[in-house]
Amino acid sequence: MALPIVQSAVAAGLAWVIATDVFHHKQAFFAPIAVVLCIGVGLGRRLRRVAELVVGVSVGIGVGDLLVSAIGTGAWQIALVVALAMTVSVFLDGGALITLQAGSSAVLVATLLPPGGHGGVNRMLDAFIGGLVGLATVVLLPGDPPGITRSHGQRIFAELAAALSGAAEAHTRRDAELAERSLSRARSTQQTIDDFRAALAAATEIAAFSPLRRRRRRRLGRYSTAAVPLDHALRNARVLLRRTVAAIHAGEPVPEPVLTVLDELAGAAVLLGRELADGQEPVRSAGKLRETAVLLDLSQSAAPSGHSAHVVFAQTRSLTVDLLEATGLDHESALAVLPPPPAAEPGLGAQPGSDGAESTDSGTTDPRDDH
């Protein structure tokens, strides 16, 4: 957060100087406010925030100036002005920033600022100045959001590998407590995914506008390709771990070849994360996943018969597809790498088109996973 704070502080002062010294506005507080809202301490969607800010200020000032000039100020006047300004903004867009900015601008007009004259126009211009200064600061001093993306990406790959190796170890040791700990850890990874997507959105936005970061576009493109399949893989890993717990409690053994596949998938996830972090094409990880697909073919002869153990086996197929898609293959090409799925045994609840797993190869998991 250090860089956004420094950016906000420097740009707020610069926006104040431009609004007061260049445009000679006496009360230019909307300029530094716009900077803070534009840059903030969050990442991504800055262009939209600038547009919402200017629209919200315009609506709030417009409604406030019109009503306060006619009805004066007071408690019920403030309530009416705020309600009307926020209602107009909701009908215009419905965005949270527009609505809140319209309401706060209307409050300022109704309580502190004299309505009428050119004050409303000047305040709209101040908001626009602050937004542009904020954007310019981000473009010229972009920091390293691709580095943040890389950091979050590495965390996701590490969590996925830990979930898969944890499942394999729990089956090997017949340790239900270990499986439950691995499941609990995997269920806490959704925030990691959300943080990764936010960082990726910010990095993509900056790379599109900042000449200093355009060379990072190809690397960011690889992360963008991997983002959705990684989300699916973590969801499928949670289903696998939940069934691992159930299989151990039910005494359903999972054959050794299936556990070997889980370990190989964990290694492929680590390798893929390393290749993306280094800016390389994921050639080695794709090759490792193709080798893992061969192991899947060999392990099918040892497929377990119990329901939960069978789902663990079937989930390895879905996870292999997810990771192949993360390397850049489309869904059909990833499926084509896998051997044909074995026929589902009676009573195991295999779903058509899902390779016998509780979650499809497109990543739609059993809804009970997140409970």
Side-chain angles (χ1 to χ4, degrees):
M1 293 298 98
L3 181 65
I5 291 172
V6 172
Q7 287 174 327
S8 298
V10 173
L14 180 59
W16 174 266
V17 169
I18 293 174
T20 56
D21 293 352
V22 177
F23 290 90
H24 306 293
H25 295 172
K26 295 181 179 180
Q27 294 176 313
F29 50 83
F30 271 115
I33 286 176
V35 165
V36 174
L37 289 175
C38 175
I39 299 177
V41 292
L43 298 172
R45 301 186 68 193
R46 290 189 172 101
L47 282 176
R48 179 175 177 85
R49 285 209 294 268
V50 171
E52 290 182 343
L53 179 72
V54 173
V55 172
V57 170
S58 301
V59 170
I61 291 173
V63 172
D65 274 345
L66 286 174
L67 287 182
V68 171
S69 297
I71 63 178
T73 60
W76 71 267
Q77 290 94 332
I78 291 174
L80 179 60
V81 166
V82 170
L84 288 179
M86 295 182 75
T87 301
V88 170
S89 68
V90 167
F91 279 108
L92 284 176
D93 177 87
L97 181 56
I98 288 182
T99 305
L100 294 175
Q101 193 58 52
S104 60
S105 299
V107 169
L108 288 174
V109 171
T111 57
L112 299 178
L113 303 175
H118 299 287
V121 176
N122 289 345
R123 288 188 282 274
M124 285 183 256
L125 180 58
D126 289 340
F128 187 67
I129 290 170
L132 289 182
V133 171
L135 284 178
T137 303
V138 172
V139 168
L140 297 176
L141 301 172
D144 190 24
I148 300 175
T149 302
R150 184 170 58 249
S151 174
H152 285 296
Q154 287 289 83
R155 201 172 305 162
I156 292 173
F157 285 110
E159 290 294 342
L160 179 58
L164 296 175
S165 59
E169 184 179 358
H171 280 293
T172 300
R173 294 165 49 182
R174 308 300 298 164
D175 189 338
E177 184 178 346
L178 173 60
E180 289 170 353
R181 288 200 304 269
S182 297
L183 175 58
S184 177
R185 175 176 173 177
R187 279 176 168 163
S188 67
T189 57
Q190 190 57 47
Q191 186 60 50
T192 304
I193 285 284
D194 294 340
D195 291 342
F196 169 68
R197 286 183 164 177
L200 180 59
T204 303
E205 181 184 67
I206 290 176
F209 292 98
S210 176
L212 302 177
R213 296 300 180 192
R214 288 188 179 180
R215 61 187 176 86
R216 301 291 186 93
R217 286 182 179 179
R218 180 172 296 182
R219 178 178 295 187
L220 292 173
R222 297 190 189 105
Y223 276 113
S224 296
T225 298
V228 172
L230 282 176
D231 189 4
H232 292 169
L234 278 171
R235 293 173 186 270
N236 281 325
R238 291 198 288 267
V239 174
L240 183 147
L241 281 166
R242 185 165 55 80
R243 285 304 180 182
T244 292
V245 173
I248 294 174
H249 281 304
E252 299 174 8
V254 173
E256 185 65 30
V258 178
L259 304 184
T260 300
V261 169
L262 287 176
D263 282 329
E264 290 298 313
L265 287 175
V270 171
L271 179 57
L272 177 56
R274 189 179 305 126
E275 286 182 307
L276 294 184
D278 293 339
Q280 301 173 357
E281 291 286 347
V283 176
R284 289 182 297 158
S285 54
K288 187 174 181 64
L289 287 166
R290 291 179 182 275
E291 294 172 1
T292 304
V294 174
L295 293 177
L296 275 172
D297 195 14
L298 297 176
S299 66
Q300 287 185 166
S301 60
S305 57
H307 174 67
S308 293
H310 174 80
V311 172
V312 170
F313 166 70
Q315 284 299 105
T316 61
R317 295 179 58 88
S318 295
L319 282 157
T320 304
V321 169
D322 292 334
L323 288 173
L324 283 168
E325 289 183 12
T327 66
L329 292 183
D330 60 48
H331 184 66
E332 295 304 321
S333 298
L335 280 177
V337 174
L338 270 64
E345 296 186 18
L348 290 181
Q351 301 173 3
S354 68
D355 279 347
E358 285 198 358
S359 65
T360 68
D361 283 334
S362 62
T364 304
T365 60
D366 185 326
R368 291 172 293 174
D369 168 56
D370 289 326
H371 296 283

